[in-house]
Amino acid sequence: MYLVRKRVHAFVRVKPTADFAQDMIKFGPDNKSIEICLKKDAKKEAMNSRQTSWSFRMDGVLHNTSQEQLYETVAKKLVSEALIGYNGTIMCYGQTGAGKTYTMMGATADYKHRGIIPRAIQQGENKRVIAEHALNKHSSRSHCIFTIYIESRFRFFSDIKCVNSKINLIDLAGSERQSKSGSEGQLLKEATYINKSLSFLEQVITALADPKRDHIPFRQSKLTYVLKDSLGRNCNTVLVANVCGEAAHVEHTLSSLRFANRMKWVTTEPVLNETYDQEGTVKALEKEIAFLKQELAVHDSLANRSLMTYDPLSHVQIEEIKSQVHRYLKGAIDEIDIVNLRQIREVFRQFKLILRQV
C-alpha cells in the first residue's frame, strides 16, 4: 500500500484580553505568522547578546476568533475525514488560563460558545479534578483525553464494507512554570508531575521531528504512551497552541510557540481503515435469498402453478430422482418428472455417476 506522509497542522489561538501587548506580539497580514519581540534592558544591552525577537510561521493564527470559526478552521476537515475512515487527533497545548479547555469544551452556559467536543459529553469533563492557584482559579490538574470511536457500514455490491476510525480530543494540563503558579504542598507535587510528563512529550516530539532518529521514547510516561497512536502514526493530527496576549505571560507564549513550531516538523501516515465484513455479507445474502424465494412463490401463485419448493433437495427427493433415472435407462418410464432447476441438476449428476460406473 502506498502511504502518503502528511505534516501535523499547528494553529495558534490567542486569548482575548483588554491589556494586549501590541508592542511585543505582532501578527502577519495573512494571519499565519506571529512575531514576539522582547524589550531590551538599556543597562544590560552592552553585556547581553541574547536573542530578543522571534518569528513563527503557523497554519493559522486565530485572534478574536469565535468558537464557530475555530471549529471550521481547525476541526471540520479532520472530523469529515474521520467519518470516512481516517483517524484524527486534535490536541490543545499551552499554559494554564490560556484557553485550552475553552477551545476544547467551550462554555456550557451558552450554546454558541460550545467548543470542539460536543456538549453532550461535557459531563466526562465534570469529573476532572480542579484546584485554584495564582494563574487560574479552576485549573485542570490533569490531562484529559476523550476518544470517539466511529463505525460505519456500506453496501458495496455483494460485500459490506466496514469503516472504523477514532477521533482523539486532547486537553493537556497547563505548561506553566512552578514559580509563576505559586503552588505549594500537594498542588506543587501535582505540578511537578504535570511538567515532567509535558517534558517527556516534548522529547517525543523532538524525536519524531528528527528523520535520523530510530527510537521514539513513547514509554517514558503514561501520557506519551497513550498518545503513541496519535503522534507520528496512522492519524491526521492538529495542534492548537493556546497563548495569552499579555506582557506578563510573554515567556510562556514564546515557549508554547516553540512547541507548536516543533510539532509542524512531525509527519504522519494516515490510511483508510476499511475492511470487508464476510459474516455481514453472508447474512445479507441469506436475507436476499429468502426474499427471492418469496418472490418466486408469489409468481408461481399468480401463474396458477402447483406449490413448489426452492429449498435444497432432501435425501428422499434425491433417492426418488435416482430411481427415476435408472427406470428411464431401463425403458420402464418414458420421461422423468422435473419441476425446478435443482431437480435438473440432480438428474445430470445421476447420469454422470452411472456413466463413471460403466
Side-chain angles (χ1 to χ4, degrees):
M1 184 189 306
Y2 178 73
L3 298 178
V4 178
R5 299 191 69 86
K6 297 178 68 174
R7 178 179 59 79
V8 171
H9 292 281
F11 296 86
V12 176
R13 190 181 198 189
V14 184
K15 183 179 180 179
T17 176
D19 191 21
F20 184 76
Q22 297 182 357
D23 56 336
M24 303 178 71
I25 303 176
K26 301 182 184 299
F27 307 122
D30 58 353
N31 288 325
K32 289 190 175 182
S33 60
I34 182 171
E35 184 177 350
I36 305 295
C37 298
L38 298 181
K39 294 180 180 180
K40 292 185 178 181
D41 190 333
K43 296 181 180 180
K44 299 180 180 180
E45 186 173 357
M47 301 287 294
N48 192 357
S49 59
R50 214 174 60 171
Q51 184 178 355
T52 57
S53 64
W54 295 263
S55 182
F56 300 92
R57 183 77 179 174
M58 300 294 168
D59 291 285
V61 177
L62 309 173
H63 186 217
N64 293 326
T65 305
S66 67
Q67 295 286 68
E68 183 178 359
Q69 290 174 319
L70 170 78
Y71 187 84
E72 290 285 328
T73 304
V74 172
K76 187 174 183 179
K77 182 180 179 182
L78 183 144
V79 174
S80 296
E81 292 187 351
L83 292 175
I84 62 173
Y86 290 96
N87 294 335
T89 292
I90 301 175
M91 181 165 55
C92 286
Y93 178 91
Q95 74 176 95
T96 295
K100 299 185 305 299
T101 302
Y102 179 74
T103 294
M104 192 61 71
M105 294 300 301
T108 57
D110 195 330
Y111 182 81
K112 69 177 182 179
H113 289 161
R114 61 194 178 117
I116 295 174
I117 299 178
R119 190 168 56 178
I121 53 92
Q122 290 182 359
Q123 293 178 356
E125 179 67 9
N126 292 337
K127 293 183 180 180
R128 297 181 67 185
V129 179
I130 63 173
E132 179 179 352
H133 63 60
L135 293 177
N136 189 359
K137 292 184 178 181
H138 300 283
S139 171
S140 297
R141 308 309 302 151
S142 63
H143 306 298
C144 177
I145 302 176
F146 188 88
T147 303
I148 301 173
Y149 293 92
I150 303 171
E151 180 177 331
S152 304
R153 291 173 177 265
F154 305 92
R155 184 67 179 269
F156 188 73
F157 293 106
S158 61
D159 291 330
I160 295 179
K161 183 172 72 172
C162 300
V163 173
N164 296 279
S165 59
K166 62 181 180 180
I167 302 176
N168 298 309
L169 303 172
I170 304 168
D171 179 9
L172 296 173
S175 60
E176 66 279 350
R177 296 178 181 176
Q178 295 177 8
S179 59
K180 291 278 187 179
S181 66
S183 300
E184 297 178 351
Q186 181 62 29
L187 295 183
L188 179 59
K189 186 179 293 187
E190 291 176 358
T192 301
Y193 288 131
I194 289 171
N195 288 344
K196 192 173 183 178
S197 66
L198 290 173
S199 177
F200 287 139
L201 176 60
E202 291 189 19
Q203 292 178 26
V204 167
I205 297 304
T206 301
L208 287 170
D210 186 357
K212 297 180 181 179
R213 288 283 296 268
D214 294 327
H215 173 68
I216 309 299
F218 285 114
R219 293 183 177 270
Q220 284 188 317
S221 70
K222 291 183 179 179
L223 175 65
T224 54
Y225 187 74
V226 169
L227 297 181
K228 184 177 180 180
D229 291 336
S230 303
L231 301 171
R233 294 297 183 92
N234 170 26
C235 194
N236 290 315
T237 303
V238 173
L239 172 75
V240 180
N242 295 85
V243 299
C244 294
E246 299 175 355
H249 302 293
V250 69
E251 290 186 10
H252 285 306
T253 296
L254 184 58
S255 176
S256 297
L257 291 174
R258 285 170 173 164
F259 180 83
N261 194 57
R262 285 194 291 269
M263 279 289 290
K264 285 177 52 184
W265 291 96
V266 177
T267 58
T268 62
E269 296 178 346
V271 296
L272 191 63
N273 302 303
E274 62 178 1
T275 58
Y276 287 91
D277 184 5
Q278 296 181 348
E279 182 179 351
T281 299
V282 170
K283 291 182 179 179
L285 291 175
E286 289 175 345
K287 186 176 181 179
E288 184 71 15
I289 290 171
F291 176 77
L292 291 174
K293 286 181 179 179
Q294 293 176 355
E295 287 282 353
L296 287 172
V298 172
H299 180 75
D300 290 338
S301 176
L302 294 175
N304 293 323
R305 293 180 182 175
S306 59
L307 183 63
M308 300 178 63
T309 177
Y310 298 97
D311 294 325
L313 298 177
S314 66
H315 178 71
V316 174
Q317 290 173 315
I318 293 175
E319 288 298 318
E320 173 61 26
I321 292 175
K322 181 179 178 180
S323 173
Q324 289 191 54
V325 169
H326 280 280
R327 284 186 288 160
Y328 175 81
L329 291 175
K330 292 178 181 180
I333 57 176
D334 295 329
E335 58 184 24
I336 300 174
D337 294 331
I338 296 174
V339 294
N340 58 38
L341 184 60
R342 291 184 188 274
Q343 291 178 329
I344 295 176
R345 293 180 64 184
E346 183 59 30
V347 168
F348 278 106
R349 193 177 76 86
Q350 293 296 333
F351 273 118
K352 287 180 181 179
L353 292 174
I354 294 172
L355 289 174
R356 289 173 185 172
Q357 297 173 358
V358 175

